[in-house]
Amino acid sequence: MAAGHDDKFHHVRDISHFELPWEMHIDLPQIFGLQLTKFMLLQLVAVTFLFFVFRGLAKRAAGGQVVTGRWWNFWESIVIYMRDEVVRPTIGEGHHGDDHGHGHHHGPKVGHPADKYLPFVLSCFFYVLICNLLGVFPWMGSATGELNVTIALAFTTFCAVVIYGSREQGPIQFWLSLAPSMELPIGLKVILLPMIWVIELAGFLIKHAVLAIRLFANIMAGHTVIAVFLGFIAMTADTGMWAIVMPSSIIAQILVGLLELFVAFLQAYVFAFLATLFISAAVNPH
């Protein structure tokens, strides 16, 4: 435990136990030689929660039935918003021109070409959202505040973009399309196009890396700020400043906690929106 107290960021790191008040903790077991960690367990909690929520929602919406109940309407409204305001307008109809103008109609829109990418985008959004929100509960944590988790999420998005782009354009054309077509003399084109392609490839890889770093930094920052405010109380425990610092720190933690609720939704939306943009660029090359 001493090593943990020396680590200023031990509150936001992945560990093999759950910390409880009065320096108590619950150790997590090893399964088939693999050490189960707090963030592993919290991610399983997020997946299980989402499985039961959307299994129930799918049953109630089966066959075009109207979903009733505030709980189910809450989840349905988010799904419809992401579909109609993010995925369909951003990705568009691609090369499918059978139903031009669907994006301008109001009301239910059935069979939009962009809907085949909706399951992946919704999975990104809700998974990141629930992982973020778990950090609001005492003695829990946000798995998305761990860089390894966000790297895995960004890598999954990268693979999805490559698969969707290759499926739409063909594997070779997808990679060739990273470099824009230019009307240049053949000699100049032979020199410039490889250089531009390498630059575009680097940009393609970097923007997915930034997807991981952005989510990690925003979620970790909120937990770190709360840990700092808690530290102020401990630092002044034996001084006359404690009576002033303690209530001020508690108020600050409440305000930061409310801000974290907003950030939890915002960062889930940003991750899903950027994933949608990357998919749109892959399936609709310029």
Side-chain angles (χ1 to χ4, degrees), residues 127-276:
Y127 181 78
V128 172
L129 176 63
I130 300 303
C131 285
N132 291 349
L133 290 177
L134 284 174
V136 176
F137 295 95
W139 311 304
M140 293 290 185
S142 295
T144 42
E146 166 65 41
L147 187 58
N148 291 322
V149 174
T150 59
I151 288 175
L153 288 169
F155 180 71
T156 302
T157 304
F158 171 81
C159 291
V161 170
V162 171
I163 290 171
Y164 291 144
S166 299
R167 185 183 299 168
E168 189 73 21
Q169 304 181 57
I172 296 177
Q173 183 58 35
F174 167 73
W175 292 107
L176 291 177
S177 67
L178 291 178
S181 59
M182 296 180 293
E183 297 297 331
L184 296 172
I186 186 65
L188 196 58
K189 183 178 290 189
V190 169
I191 297 173
L192 285 181
L193 272 183
M195 296 172 59
I196 294 174
W197 186 87
V198 170
I199 293 172
E200 292 294 333
L201 176 63
F204 180 71
L205 298 174
I206 289 171
K207 67 184 182 182
H208 286 87
V210 170
L211 195 64
I213 296 171
R214 175 197 297 272
L215 179 59
F216 156 73
N218 280 279
I219 300 304
M220 184 179 182
H223 293 299
T224 303
V225 170
I226 288 180
V228 169
F229 285 135
L230 283 170
F232 289 157
I233 297 176
M235 289 169 58
T236 59
D238 299 324
T239 69
M241 293 292 294
W242 182 84
I244 299 175
V245 172
M246 189 271 293
S248 300
S249 294
I250 291 176
I251 293 172
Q253 288 176 64
I254 293 173
L255 294 176
V256 172
L258 293 174
L259 179 61
E260 276 200 298
L261 280 175
F262 171 72
V263 170
F265 281 88
L266 177 63
Q267 290 306 314
Y269 174 82
V270 169
F271 190 98
F273 180 69
L274 290 176
T276 306

